[in-house]
Amino acid sequence: MEPSSEPSPPVTTATFPAAGEGHESHPSTTSSSLFPLFPLAASTSSASTAESQWLSNPSFSFDASSLNVPSTTTSSLPTPLSPSSDDDAPPAPAPAKYELVPSETDSDEERGSRRKERGRRKRRREKDRYDGASESRKAGVRAWAGSETKPVKDYYVDAKGDHDNLAFGSLYRMDVARYRSQSMLETRGLNRSMFFNRRFGSSHIDLDSDLDGLDNKVRAGGRYYSAKNAVSERNKGSKHLKLSKGDTSAMLAEDFVPLDAQSLSVKRTTAEQELEESWEDEILRRTREFNKMSREHPNDEKVWLAFAQFQDKVASTQPQKAARLQTTERKISILEKAVELNPDNEELLLCLLKSYGERDSTENLLGRWEQVLTKHPDSCKLWKQYLLLCQGEFSRFKVSEIRKSYVYAVQALSAACTKLCRQVNENMDPKSPSSSLAQLELGLVDIFVNLCRFEWQTGHRELATGLFQAQMEFSLFSPPLYLTTSSKQRLFEHFWNSGGARIGEDGALGWSAWLAKDEESRQNLVAQENSQEIETGGWSGWFDPSVGNTDTNESVEPSTDGNDAEDLDAEDRPAQDDVESLLKKLGIDVDAESNSEVKDAETWNRWATMELSRDNEQWLPLHEKSGIGSLDSGDAPSGEDNNQLSRVILFEDVAEFLFSLSSEEARFSLICQFIDFYGGKISRWTSTNSSSWLDRILSLEMISDDILEDLSAVSDIVNKNQDSYSCKLESLLGSMHDLSQRPGLVKFLRNAILLLLDVFPRNHVLEEAILVTTEMYTAQENSSSTANTSRALAKNLLKKDRQDFLLCGIYGRTEAMHGNIEQARKIFDMALLSTEATAEDLRKKVPILYLWYAEMEITVSTSRNNSDSTHRAIYILSCLGSNVKYAPFIGPISRPQVLRARQGFKEQIRSLRSAFASGGIKEESVALICSASLFESMTSGYSSGLEVIEDMLCSDSSHNSEFEDLWVYYIKLLQKNLNQLSLSRVWPSISQGMHKYPYNPKSYSAMLILSYLYSVSNNLRLTLDKCSQSRDPSIITLLFALSFEWHKAGSDNRIHSLFERALADDKLQKSVLLWRCYLAYEAEKACNASAARRVFFRAIHACPWSKRLWLDGFLKLSSVLTLKELSDLQEVMRDKELNIRTDIYEILLQDETDT
């Protein structure tokens, strides 16, 4: 081998075991030790003693680095240390050979001969190089397999290092052991020359180069990882032989494994061979099957969707882009045929449009969307996906353009609702039931709420509030007049522009009441004017006409002289000069600062903080007349007036989004989503599988309170034994509804809910919301009498309607929450005693009141360890089960009364099974079943109570809100009794509910708590991964997976994997909450500035409408981004028409003023 020009490797110590037998025999000396360089150890008397004590050789504890080996730089080849190789001199390096460069006039034959000669010389040099390298290695080391002689020494010490490490960049491949499935007899006769690789100069990554060192059989077949076998594995036509055992069962004689293996009576297994089909055969077979099924069932959407999904599987195995594009074209043709046969199927249309997105450009894709929406203008699902697609296109995104798209959607769906409502009222179309109208109106309400969320998140918060106010006044407080749509809007314009109080504001009456009051005041004014005209008469005195003409001329006559205008300009100039001089005094040059940049990143941080503060403060729109006094005058508005003017919402801003609602479900959904939008505490009004709930979860910017409650419970249990030195996830994102930062919001909610109780009287959901909101308002006002305030409000409400016994129940629960148990019992007893005098429709809801009363007593029993409360709860539930008239509690009930109550519950539940089977259950039915389960748990044990609910959970009504309430109650019972139930008893129910309600946080909370107590972390991670890889992944899954991993050491890679897998989904990629979590993790927990920067730019590209996401970049990355980038980001925000309330020059002026 030629000497290397590179520096010699560092001195290392290595030991080389003999490969077995050397090429030539070495004389054996009896006086030599195992390591000849060191003194001989104690001699042994026999070979067996040497074999047993050979590990005691002192060389194993000898530090080879202590050898005094002189360093040499004359040659990079190591000197052999063994005595047998001392006489071997390293070969001298061959002199370099040089050749003349051939001239350009050589013939083709000469060039060919020179190429052959160069190839021969190259092979000769490689052979010489290998021989030189082999000679440079120690003679004893070259003891390869196949030699018949055994070396004298088993180990050698090398203090110079192996120069081959520099040649190959790693250990020489021939020094590494090889393994293959063959006997050692087949390898006898191999010599060292067979390992010579003729392609020595090729890349060391070539796996097939090792075949030259083996025999002909291996060289022809190749190793299992060789390129040849890899190509055959990738061949789509290759078939594999599948070996399966006929009988794998083993019968043991005992329940334990005996020590004697012969005592096992094991059945012999017979191996069966089965030839599997190749991938090409599978494609052909499944294509034939799908073609047959699509012909036999052309209206089955599942067949078409499975056919299209199979094309995605085929495309995933195709590395060529052209082949994947061809498969996409085939998929599109399949879906086009499916849509042709099923033109009204929304799932097929969505799948087809998604496939178009894989092939077409954005312009063509939006054009296809518009064509589909023109044919299906009444599809809420299609409109939602279209609007989400438009919002996510960063290059085309502008707030005004998205607002126009919402106008088209609202008007199209409103027209469809009006048409369907007319058909239902006139009974012209018996196939259009009222449920279809309710579903269409619910979808319209969802799109309207999404519009309000969009305006809120883009910074136009006054417009979002104005839209809510206008729509609720227009659809809920409409006057009882038969008006056309245009007449109704003109009448509403009069109300909107009058400056009257709107819903949520002090003194608001509602549009209908305001109109009646306005009409009354107008009639009184007309009557007063008529009376004055009647009283007025006769001569009224002299008057001078010239005086009136003079005044009129002075006020009307225009100025013909231009000096007045010049004088006005002259009067305005000093004010402008004063402003400019003031700015110059502050050190700000107006002309120069227009192109200047901020000199400090902290300035941008303060700007973002002020912008967030103003967003929280300025959310309520101002009235045109009362908000800005200067609008009525002719003066030009100042800068502050311009800011106030932008907060005024005119009728033209909301007119295009108004629509009427006729169904009670849609009207109540609008109210509940309004309360939830502004942070009010309200019970879940719909199923978590409904479209409105999914839209709510997907549009979150911060973790909502209902999700945060379950996340905190999981985090407390998981991190109970750990030092949570790092901050929690919710603390990095902020509170969803920090009402302390939004002055007047709680009062606004309180006024609105009080007014909405007139629309939905005797609604316990709204009644509970108003009591909770009143307590929040009182606590915000720093008042200690929160209980007195809510008590006074409940009494006032009960004075208006004394038969509302559910309000009594809410009042009693509120008193119990404040510790007034005796007062709460009196309220409940009074309500139950008065149920006999109420109407029939009210008496149907009595089970709800019984359940509330019993739960209150059980809570008291648990907290105070009071057995009397337990007896009270059993007595209350027995009255409901026995269907007897309620009487106040006297003492514990007898055993016959328990049996009578149990039999009564069974009969009542039996009558509800038909309703459960059809999915038409109601809230009082759920309360009855929960009461029966609670009664059985307290009298017969928890297992009996769980069985009552399990018998009713068999029906598949996953989209029913009441059915989900029953399942949530069942989960609560399981969590209470985890210590008394086995894992096999609890896990199937929780797993089934988690798959049925993937967007319910209670599912994941129960699953995580149970898995943490009874399972290992890896099993829990596998379960969460299966949930996240489902067809419709949920961000709830990600949040709970993060809460489990957040404080665990070494979970960084796991957290990164969770984020990236979630962002690979098209829907979750539009989640602002997901991006904010990722950015907060990289910036504040992982402290990876470059990764946080990448995540931020990806986030604003995917969700350009979220102003909070843009401001996170200013707050968290002000030290990472350059000043030019921060300035450009603000300009892009203005270009995208996000509402910016603070000018950066305000911050600069504050800095100058402070200095």
Side-chain angles (χ1 to χ4, degrees):
M1 180 181 291
E2 297 178 0
S4 174
S5 61
E6 299 177 1
S8 61
V11 177
T12 58
T13 302
T15 61
F16 297 89
E21 299 175 353
H23 289 285
E24 44 188 298
S25 60
H26 297 275
S28 60
T29 57
T30 59
S31 62
S32 64
S33 66
L34 185 63
F35 294 88
L37 293 182
F38 308 111
L40 183 65
S43 61
T44 58
S45 60
S46 63
S48 60
T49 307
E51 282 185 317
S52 61
Q53 298 181 356
W54 71 277
L55 289 176
S56 61
N57 191 292
S59 64
F60 284 94
S61 60
F62 178 75
D63 187 8
S65 61
S66 61
L67 290 176
N68 186 13
V69 181
S71 59
T72 175
T73 58
T74 58
S75 176
S76 62
L77 298 178
T79 304
L81 297 178
S82 61
S84 60
S85 60
D86 289 339
D87 298 333
D88 298 337
K97 298 180 180 181
Y98 301 94
E99 292 182 358
L100 296 176
V101 178
S103 61
E104 298 180 355
T105 58
D106 295 340
S107 62
D108 296 338
E109 296 180 357
E110 292 175 349
R111 285 194 295 269
S113 62
R114 280 197 298 270
R115 280 197 297 269
K116 294 180 181 179
E117 182 64 23
R118 282 197 298 269
R120 285 193 295 269
R121 286 198 300 269
K122 181 178 180 181
R123 289 191 295 271
R124 191 181 305 112
R125 284 197 303 268
E126 291 174 350
K127 186 175 185 303
D128 296 339
R129 182 181 181 186
Y130 179 81
D131 293 336
S134 62
E135 292 176 2
S136 69
R137 303 171 68 84
K138 292 165 287 301
V141 178
R142 291 185 286 107
W144 302 98
S147 301
E148 297 181 355
T149 59
K150 193 172 184 179
V152 178
K153 299 179 294 298
D154 293 331
Y155 294 91
Y156 298 91
V157 176
D158 182 9
K160 287 294 188 62
D162 189 1
H163 70 284
D164 290 340
N165 290 343
L166 290 180
F168 302 102
S170 62
L171 289 177
Y172 183 49
R173 73 174 188 276
M174 293 302 176
D175 290 346
V176 181
R178 294 173 176 272
Y179 300 95
R180 54 191 297 266
S181 58
Q182 62 182 12
S183 63
M184 292 302 297
L185 296 177
E186 299 178 4
T187 62
R188 298 187 66 86
L190 293 177
N191 51 36
R192 184 187 56 175
S193 61
M194 296 181 62
F195 291 93
F196 173 64
N197 183 9
R198 297 187 62 180
R199 291 168 293 175
F200 187 82
S202 60
S203 173
H204 65 279
I205 307 178
D206 191 358
L207 299 178
D208 287 339
S209 60
D210 292 345
L211 297 178
D212 295 335
L214 303 177
D215 55 5
N216 296 330
K217 182 179 178 180
V218 179
R219 186 185 301 111
R223 302 293 296 276
Y224 69 92
Y225 56 81
S226 62
K228 181 178 179 180
N229 289 332
V231 170
S232 64
E233 285 292 330
R234 288 193 294 266
N235 185 11
K236 304 299 187 300
S238 62
K239 299 182 179 181
H240 301 271
L241 188 64
K242 179 181 179 182
L243 299 179
S244 59
K245 293 182 179 181
D247 187 6
T248 59
S249 61
M251 299 298 295
L252 297 179
E254 305 290 341
D255 292 337
F256 57 90
V257 180
L259 297 177
D260 188 7
Q262 296 180 356
S263 63
L264 297 177
S265 58
V266 183
K267 292 184 179 180
R268 293 184 178 181
T269 59
T270 58
E272 298 179 357
Q273 295 184 359
E274 180 183 354
L275 188 63
E276 292 183 344
E277 61 181 355
S278 64
W279 175 239
E280 293 180 351
D281 295 339
E282 182 181 356
I283 292 176
L284 294 176
R285 177 182 60 81
R286 297 198 63 183
T287 302
R288 285 194 297 267
E289 292 176 356
F290 281 123
N291 287 331
K292 182 179 179 181
M293 287 188 296
S294 61
R295 285 193 299 268
E296 294 176 353
H297 307 283
N299 297 325
D300 189 357
E301 67 170 15
K302 294 183 180 179
V303 173
W304 293 106
L305 292 175
F307 199 0
Q309 188 177 5
F310 178 69
Q311 304 304 316
D312 293 335
K313 183 179 179 181
V314 173
S316 63
T317 62
Q318 296 172 335
Q320 298 84 6
K321 183 177 180 180
R324 292 196 302 269
L325 184 59
Q326 185 179 4
T327 305
T328 303
E329 293 286 353
R330 190 183 307 114
K331 175 184 174 182
I332 290 175
S333 63
I334 292 171
L335 291 172
E336 286 177 346
K337 182 64 175 179
V339 170
E340 181 181 353
L341 297 174
N342 305 275
D344 297 330
N345 193 292
E346 295 178 348
E347 293 294 335
L348 292 176
L349 285 171
L350 287 174
C351 189
L352 175 60
L353 290 168
K354 183 180 179 181
S355 302
Y356 283 143
E358 299 174 1
R359 183 195 66 179
D360 298 343
S361 62
T362 304
E363 296 290 340
N364 296 335
L365 179 61
L366 293 177
R368 293 184 182 275
W369 266 102
E370 293 173 0
Q371 294 177 3
V372 171
L373 289 173
T374 304
K375 297 179 182 178
H376 305 276
D378 57 345
S379 175
C380 299
K381 197 169 187 178
L382 293 176
W383 276 112
K384 288 181 181 179
Q385 294 298 323
Y386 172 71
L387 294 171
L388 193 61
L389 175 66
C390 294
Q391 287 182 211
E393 289 294 332
F394 183 84
S395 59
R396 298 171 54 91
F397 175 80
K398 279 186 179 296
V399 173
S400 58
E401 296 297 328
I402 305 300
R403 196 175 291 155
K404 290 180 183 178
S405 300
Y406 272 103
V407 170
Y408 299 148
V410 170
Q411 291 182 353
L413 293 174
S414 178
C417 289
T418 303
K419 180 180 179 181
L420 188 58
C421 182
R422 189 182 305 112
Q423 292 176 356
V424 171
N425 293 334
E426 297 177 359
N427 294 326
M428 294 178 59
D429 189 4
K431 296 183 180 180
S432 299
S434 58
S435 61
S436 301
L437 176 61
Q439 293 298 322
L440 187 58
E441 288 186 348
L442 284 173
L444 178 57
V445 169
D446 292 343
I447 290 181
F448 175 78
V449 175
N450 289 341
L451 167 65
C452 296
R453 292 193 186 107
F454 172 76
E455 297 290 352
W456 185 275
Q457 293 179 3
T458 56
H460 301 84
R461 301 197 169 186
E462 294 89 353
L463 180 57
T465 305
L467 286 171
F468 262 122
Q469 288 179 317
Q471 181 56 45
M472 298 182 74
E473 294 279 4
F474 189 81
S475 58
L476 302 180
F477 298 96
S478 176
L481 300 174
Y482 184 76
L483 300 172
T484 61
T485 304
S486 58
S487 301
K488 188 177 179 180
Q489 287 197 358
R490 285 197 300 269
L491 192 61
F492 184 76
E493 182 180 4
H494 172 61
F495 161 72
W496 189 265
N497 295 331
S498 64
R502 304 159 189 167
I503 182 172
E505 300 174 358
D506 293 333
L509 302 173
W511 178 25
S512 178
W514 177 89
L515 188 63
K517 185 178 180 180
D518 181 69
E519 182 66 20
E520 181 181 357
S521 61
R522 188 182 65 82
Q523 290 179 359
N524 293 335
L525 182 61
V526 170
Q528 184 178 2
E529 290 178 354
N530 292 335
S531 62
Q532 290 179 357
E533 290 179 359
I534 293 174
E535 294 175 358
T536 304
W539 180 66
S540 57
W542 298 99
F543 71 96
D544 188 1
S546 60
V547 177
N549 295 335
T550 304
D551 296 339
T552 305
N553 293 335
E554 289 179 358
S555 60
V556 175
E557 182 180 1
S559 174
T560 57
D561 193 359
N563 295 330
D564 296 337
E566 295 177 358
D567 294 339
L568 292 175
D569 294 337
E571 292 177 357
D572 291 338
R573 284 174 186 171
Q576 181 68 20
D577 294 339
D578 293 339
V579 174
E580 293 179 1
S581 61
L582 178 60
L583 292 176
K584 290 181 179 180
K585 290 180 180 179
L586 294 174
I588 300 176
D589 189 359
V590 180
D591 298 331
E593 286 292 325
S594 59
N595 297 324
S596 64
E597 295 181 357
V598 181
K599 301 300 188 295
D600 187 9
E602 183 63 24
T603 304
W604 287 111
N605 199 321
R606 292 175 53 200
W607 171 82
T609 304
M610 182 174 291
E611 188 70 19
L612 276 178
S613 176
R614 290 187 176 180
D615 273 342
N616 291 328
E617 295 173 357
Q618 302 175 5
W619 54 271
L620 187 64
L622 300 178
H623 290 259
E624 185 176 3
K625 293 184 178 180
S626 60
I628 305 172
S630 61
L631 290 181
D632 296 333
S633 62
D635 299 336
S638 61
E640 183 178 357
D641 290 339
N642 283 329
N643 295 333
Q644 298 293 319
L645 180 61
S646 63
R647 299 182 59 191
V648 175
I649 305 303
L650 303 177
F651 177 76
E652 290 77 10
D653 299 330
V654 299
E656 296 177 318
F657 302 102
L658 298 179
F659 53 88
S660 300
L661 296 174
S662 58
S663 63
E664 294 296 322
E665 296 89 343
R667 291 153 66 92
F668 186 68
S669 176
L670 177 63
I671 292 175
C672 293
Q673 294 195 62
F674 166 77
I675 297 174
D676 179 74
F677 184 88
Y678 288 100
K681 304 293 183 180
I682 186 171
S683 303
R684 182 173 49 81
W685 68 93
T686 184
S687 172
T688 56
N689 290 335
S690 63
S691 59
S692 59
W693 191 269
L694 300 185
D695 294 341
R696 172 183 180 267
I697 295 298
L698 189 62
S699 62
L700 288 177
E701 284 188 319
M702 290 173 283
I703 303 177
S704 59
D705 296 336
D706 55 333
I707 301 175
L708 187 59
E709 179 182 356
D710 295 303
L711 281 176
S712 301
V714 172
S715 180
D716 293 340
I717 293 179
V718 172
N719 304 315
K720 179 171 58 177
N721 299 326
Q722 299 180 6
D723 295 332
S724 56
Y725 58 90
S726 57
C727 52
K728 293 184 178 181
L729 176 63
E730 56 269 18
S731 62
L732 298 178
L733 303 177
S735 176
M736 177 66 184
H737 299 290
D738 192 356
L739 301 178
S740 61
Q741 297 181 0
R742 300 176 186 174
L745 182 58
V746 182
K747 184 179 180 181
F748 173 81
L749 267 178
R750 178 178 176 272
N751 296 337
I753 299 174
L754 278 175
L755 192 60
L756 291 171
L757 283 174
D758 298 335
V759 182
F760 284 92
R762 294 179 179 175
N763 189 293
H764 67 90
V765 175
L766 296 181
E767 291 169 348
E768 184 178 7
I770 185 58
L771 291 181
V772 173
T773 307
T774 302
E775 291 184 1
M776 293 168 58
Y777 174 69
T778 308
Q780 194 177 36
E781 295 295 328
N782 297 325
S783 176
S784 58
S785 59
T786 56
N788 296 332
T789 307
S790 60
R791 185 184 298 117
L793 178 60
K795 290 180 178 180
N796 291 332
L797 294 175
L798 285 172
K799 288 179 181 179
K800 298 179 181 179
D801 188 1
R802 295 187 178 275
Q803 292 186 348
D804 190 359
F805 57 82
L806 288 183
L807 177 58
C808 293
I810 296 172
Y811 179 27
R813 294 171 70 184
T814 305
E815 291 291 341
M817 185 177 60
H818 291 288
N820 303 324
I821 305 300
E822 294 298 330
Q823 181 68 18
R825 288 170 178 168
K826 292 179 181 180
I827 295 173
F828 272 109
D829 291 340
M830 179 191 67
L832 290 174
L833 291 172
S834 62
T835 54
E836 296 295 332
T838 57
E840 181 66 24
D841 57 341
L842 291 178
R843 285 201 300 270
K844 292 181 179 179
K845 297 187 177 182
V846 170
I848 301 175
L849 190 61
Y850 276 102
L851 180 61
W852 289 352
Y853 197 0
E855 286 181 338
M856 185 199 75
E857 293 292 350
I858 292 175
T859 304
V860 174
S861 174
T862 305
S863 60
R864 301 184 180 182
N865 196 13
N866 188 357
S867 60
D868 180 67
S869 297
T870 304
H871 294 306
R872 284 177 176 271
I874 296 175
Y875 170 76
I876 294 168
L877 294 174
S878 66
C879 292
L880 175 62
S882 303
N883 199 12
V884 297
K885 184 178 180 180
Y886 176 79
F889 174 75
I890 300 176
I893 63 174
S894 62
R895 187 63 183 172
Q897 290 176 323
V898 173
L899 297 177
R900 193 181 304 113
R902 182 178 294 128
Q903 186 64 28
F905 275 124
K906 290 182 180 178
E907 294 177 356
Q908 295 181 53
I909 292 176
R910 192 179 300 113
S911 63
L912 295 176
R913 290 189 180 276
S914 60
F916 265 75
S918 61
I921 62 174
K922 296 183 179 179
E923 186 180 9
E924 52 268 20
S925 303
V926 175
L928 178 63
I929 297 172
C930 294
S931 300
S933 175
L934 192 58
F935 182 78
E936 289 292 334
S937 300
M938 300 179 69
T939 57
S940 301
Y942 295 107
S943 298
S944 301
L946 294 175
E947 290 176 359
V948 173
I949 301 181
E950 289 172 352
D951 293 339
M952 307 302 295
L953 289 176
C954 301
S955 60
D956 187 12
S957 301
S958 58
H959 290 275
N960 194 311
S961 176
E962 289 77 14
F963 196 86
E964 187 174 357
D965 292 338
L966 180 61
W967 181 82
V968 169
Y969 191 83
Y970 174 73
I971 292 297
K972 290 181 180 179
L973 290 181
L974 287 179
Q975 290 178 325
K976 284 182 180 179
N977 309 298
L978 282 179
N979 297 329
Q980 303 178 13
L981 298 172
S982 61
L983 178 63
S984 59
R985 177 71 173 82
V986 177
W987 181 257
S989 301
I990 292 181
S991 178
Q992 179 184 2
M994 188 173 57
H995 291 288
K996 185 176 290 186
Y997 304 104
Y999 292 92
N1000 193 322
K1002 301 292 183 184
S1003 309
Y1004 296 95
S1005 175
M1007 186 268 294
L1008 281 170
I1009 294 174
L1010 184 66
S1011 299
Y1012 182 76
L1013 295 177
Y1014 294 102
S1015 183
V1016 295
S1017 300
N1018 288 339
N1019 291 340
L1020 176 58
R1021 292 187 178 103
L1022 290 175
T1023 304
L1024 291 172
D1025 289 343
K1026 289 180 181 178
C1027 296
S1028 62
Q1029 293 171 3
S1030 61
R1031 181 181 176 184
D1032 197 10
S1034 167
I1035 192 175
I1036 305 296
T1037 311
L1038 175 69
L1039 291 177
F1040 278 91
L1042 289 176
S1043 67
F1044 179 74
E1045 304 285 351
W1046 198 256
H1047 296 294
K1048 289 187 176 297
S1051 296
D1052 295 339
N1053 293 333
R1054 168 72 178 170
I1055 294 176
H1056 279 284
S1057 176
L1058 289 173
F1059 278 120
E1060 291 299 335
R1061 278 187 295 177
L1063 291 173
D1065 184 72
D1066 294 337
K1067 291 183 179 179
L1068 295 185
Q1069 197 177 17
K1070 307 300 180 184
S1071 173
V1072 179
L1073 176 60
L1074 176 57
W1075 285 110
R1076 293 195 67 223
C1077 289
Y1078 200 0
L1079 179 60
Y1081 169 76
E1082 294 289 0
E1084 300 187 18
K1085 193 172 188 300
C1087 299
N1088 191 338
S1090 60
R1093 174 190 172 93
R1094 290 193 301 269
V1095 170
F1096 171 67
F1097 286 116
R1098 289 171 59 192
I1100 61 177
H1101 186 271
C1103 306
W1105 67 87
S1106 176
K1107 181 181 177 182
R1108 185 63 185 268
L1109 191 58
W1110 288 81
L1111 294 181
D1112 279 349
F1114 287 89
L1115 293 174
K1116 301 180 187 299
L1117 304 177
S1118 58
S1119 60
V1120 178
L1121 300 174
T1122 63
L1123 297 178
K1124 181 65 167 57
E1125 289 174 337
L1126 292 172
S1127 178
D1128 292 343
L1129 283 175
Q1130 190 198 42
E1131 291 299 324
V1132 175
M1133 291 177 66
R1134 293 184 185 275
D1135 293 340
K1136 300 299 179 184
E1137 299 178 355
L1138 302 180
N1139 188 20
I1140 297 179
R1141 305 173 187 272
T1142 308
D1143 199 330
I1144 189 63
Y1145 291 107
E1146 295 185 36
I1147 310 298
L1148 296 177
L1149 284 173
Q1150 290 180 2
D1151 294 341
E1152 294 292 339
T1153 305
D1154 295 339
T1155 56

